[in-house]
Amino acid sequence: MESPCRNICHIDSRTGLCVGCHRTLAEIASWASMAAQDRQAVMAALPARQQEADKPLDTIHQQNSRKIFTMDII
């Protein structure tokens, strides 16, 4: 079974993706039970995810500067 795992298992808190393979935790956890077509879809998305993850933080900040984030404090 093909896997993008590179044995660099660390989740980037900024992106929510593994810094090694660029999958989400849900994708990693369900990889072995995913249908082949679902795994292929994830594999096809990985290059774009890697490009996005490799952007400098200042570029990402500029892209997100117009977004408003709110948080409820309980």
Side-chain angles (χ1 to χ4, degrees):
M1 174 184 309
E2 181 181 23
S3 173
C5 183
R6 297 173 55 198
N7 293 322
I8 305 171
C9 304
H10 175 78
I11 301 300
D12 182 328
S13 62
R14 178 176 57 90
T15 65
L17 302 173
C18 174
V19 297
C21 67
H22 304 289
R23 291 179 293 170
T24 65
L25 281 174
E27 290 166 343
I28 293 167
S30 63
W31 192 256
S33 63
M34 278 183 170
Q37 67 187 27
D38 294 334
R39 287 194 303 272
Q40 289 171 350
V42 171
M43 293 291 285
L46 297 180
R49 291 180 186 182
Q50 182 175 2
Q51 280 187 325
E52 186 66 25
D54 289 346
K55 285 184 180 179
L57 288 176
D58 61 335
T59 302
I60 293 166
H61 176 71
Q62 290 171 2
Q63 290 174 345
N64 290 333
S65 64
R66 295 185 182 162
K67 295 180 181 176
I68 298 172
F69 297 95
T70 61
M71 181 172 63
D72 294 330
I73 300 174
I74 298 174

